[in-house]
């Protein structure tokens, strides 16, 4: 049984009572979504906890199956025992409900808005925080390498940001694509960049990896370089640097 | 044998060869520093990896004892086998050297600079990122509750920020103390605050916990309220929100 075979609202296929065994095949289907490969193979993502699940439903994600230990609050969910929910979850204190949802069709980033381009940002917490900031500051997101933005950790860190912005993943970095489409490409760099982003136009803001920053060719090829002015120490956490840059852009947009 | 009894430059007390047993008492002394209680009882902190250790030495921290699996690069350190270093470290891939250093005397925050006041910020990664940003944006730090800023995780996330700013911990939040000393207290809030901080003066910027923000009495008692303007979703990661607020202040200081 694959998760995609369990239809959420089909009472015929529902178990008769709560699932109490962690050996139930549904448990394995959920735990497979803890890993990038399981998510990729199934096209599903794992969303955990009532707040994120409610946001996902409101955003129109297709829920394949929901499991909950609180059937009163989640009547459409398959009822599972606490320990089964714990096994299905990635958190140490599982929270009421987990769902397997179809990873949303990526709407593309063709709309007329600024873009945050994450190049090899490796930490899922940073990726999540940047998605949250992008949603808050009106940026779409392009992922190039780095952590899976749909991992449970990134979803948690984004606190619903996924459902309030657009996101495209995959491919390699090709600045000419942005230039052809009229974007002003701006590379965030630790030194020797300008302190501000020119107002107006449509900006593609490039943020590089925690360990190495942006690749040299991205820095060379970008139309502008931005350095957040600092005193004392020059380097900032990647999520902070990208967020401050987006703030600076939003402030002067 | 307590770590504090091992004198770094005393060759008489050095072991004759590398420590190869994870049962050596020095291992236990280092692992005790993984936990808040061990750090509090000994007054020592654990600093890991060549970059942070070099920064700590340069900042003048008193190193009680250093252990390294690379004696060529760390001739003053006690030589230990890789697996001993791994046990002494908190990272999954231990990195060449770990030291037990005296938690620096807290210089107080009496100097004439802005202060970041962290109230119950619970995630050590957020605390570390905020320390890093404070160092970069010229803020001293006051910790009120929340995560131990000297935990290995916070030290890692701060990437040396500890050694480039001042920090005081402990006590409860007392806004009148700041007001008496001439600070303008500014509460960061998710909504209904002003978008900027008045220029000039000396600011105490209050940032609250990830889950609950600032306590109501802190919001009521502060002289100003700051809300970072957002669109779409209003809430930001705590480290991002505090950092953007510090950036905004540094920009107009």
């Amino acid at each position: 049984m694959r998760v995609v075979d369990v239809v959420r609202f089909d009472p015929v296929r529902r178990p008769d009572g709560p699932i109490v065994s962690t050996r139930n095949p549904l448990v394995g289907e959920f735990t497979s979504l803890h890993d990038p490969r399981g998510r990729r193979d199934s096209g599903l993502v794992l969303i955990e906890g009532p707040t994120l699940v409610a946001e996902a439903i409101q955003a129109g994600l297709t829920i394949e199956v929901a499991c909950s230990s609180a059937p009163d609050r989640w009547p459409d969910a398959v009822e599972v025992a606490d320990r089964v929910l714990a096994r299905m979850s990635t958190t140490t204190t599982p929270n009421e409900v987990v769902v397997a949802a179809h990873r949303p069709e990526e709407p593309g980033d063709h709309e007329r808005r600024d873009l945050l381009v994450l190049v090899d940002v490796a930490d899922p917490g940073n990726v999540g925080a940047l998605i949250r900031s992008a949603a808050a500051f009106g940026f779409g997101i392009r992922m190039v390498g780095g952590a899976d933005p749909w991992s449970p950790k990134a979803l948690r860190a984004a606190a619903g940001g996924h459902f309030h912005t657009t996101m495209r993943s995959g491919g390699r970095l090709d600045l000419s694509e942005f230039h052809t489409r009229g974007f002003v490409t701006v590379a965030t760099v630790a030194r020797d960049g300008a302190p501000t982003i020119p107002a107006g136009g449509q900006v593609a803001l490039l943020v590089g990896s925690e360990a190495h920053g942006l690749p040299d060719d991205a820095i060379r090829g970008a139309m502008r370089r931005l350095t957040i002015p600092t005193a004392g120490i020059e380097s900032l956490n990647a999520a902070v640097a990208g967020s401050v840059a987006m703030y600076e852009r939003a402030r002067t947009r």
Side-chain angles (χ1 to χ4, degrees), chain A:
Chain A
M1 181 174 69
R2 300 193 51 227
V3 168
V4 289
D5 296 327
V6 181
V7 178
R8 182 183 174 215
F9 292 102
D10 180 355
V12 178
R13 308 188 65 174
R14 285 282 187 85
D16 287 332
I19 295 176
V20 295
S21 167
T22 55
R23 280 185 292 226
N24 187 290
L26 201 54
V27 175
E29 299 297 344
F30 270 86
T31 57
S32 78
L33 302 182
H34 295 192
D35 300 311
R37 187 179 167 164
R39 294 193 293 272
R40 198 174 51 236
D41 290 353
S42 64
L44 296 172
V45 297
L46 180 74
I47 301 177
E48 304 174 78
T51 310
L52 269 191
V53 168
E55 290 234 35
I57 291 170
Q58 196 169 7
L61 263 69
T62 307
I63 308 297
E64 195 58 44
V65 59
C67 293
S68 174
S69 57
D72 297 353
R73 285 190 291 276
W74 300 90
D76 292 330
V78 174
E79 186 181 354
V80 299
D82 283 333
R83 54 194 287 271
V84 172
L85 189 75
R87 189 67 69 86
M88 290 172 160
S89 304
T90 65
T91 53
T92 47
T93 51
N95 199 351
E96 195 173 297
V97 61
V98 293
V99 309
H102 289 262
R103 181 176 165 139
E105 289 296 310
E106 301 195 324
D109 45 24
H110 301 297
E111 51 191 312
R112 296 201 59 73
R113 74 193 308 198
D114 292 334
L115 267 188
L116 175 69
V117 184
L118 299 185
V119 185
D120 298 327
V121 178
D123 180 87
N126 282 339
V127 167
L130 284 162
I131 291 170
R132 186 173 179 179
S133 295
F137 294 129
F139 280 69
I141 293 167
R142 176 75 73 89
M143 297 291 306
V144 180
D148 179 2
W150 291 97
S151 72
K153 269 193 185 170
L155 275 160
R156 252 192 317 279
H162 288 77
F163 312 123
H164 295 273
T165 183
T166 58
M167 185 152 51
R168 256 181 71 189
S169 308
R172 42 185 289 284
L173 185 64
D174 177 9
L175 292 185
S176 67
E177 175 212 326
F178 297 111
H179 295 159
T180 306
R181 289 166 57 199
F183 281 95
V184 176
T185 50
V186 179
T188 55
V189 292
R191 62 190 77 89
D192 300 332
T196 57
I197 300 174
Q202 206 179 352
V203 160
L205 182 71
L206 312 174
V207 171
S209 81
E210 293 88 345
H212 308 294
L214 284 167
D216 284 345
D217 54 350
I219 295 173
R220 272 197 307 271
M223 294 163 73
R224 310 265 179 172
R225 276 172 285 286
L226 171 72
T227 297
I228 298 156
T230 59
I233 59 173
E234 68 184 11
S235 106
L236 295 163
N237 165 278
V240 167
S243 299
V244 168
M246 285 189 279
Y247 168 79
E248 174 59 32
R249 166 67 175 172
R251 192 180 69 75
T252 56
R253 192 180 270 143

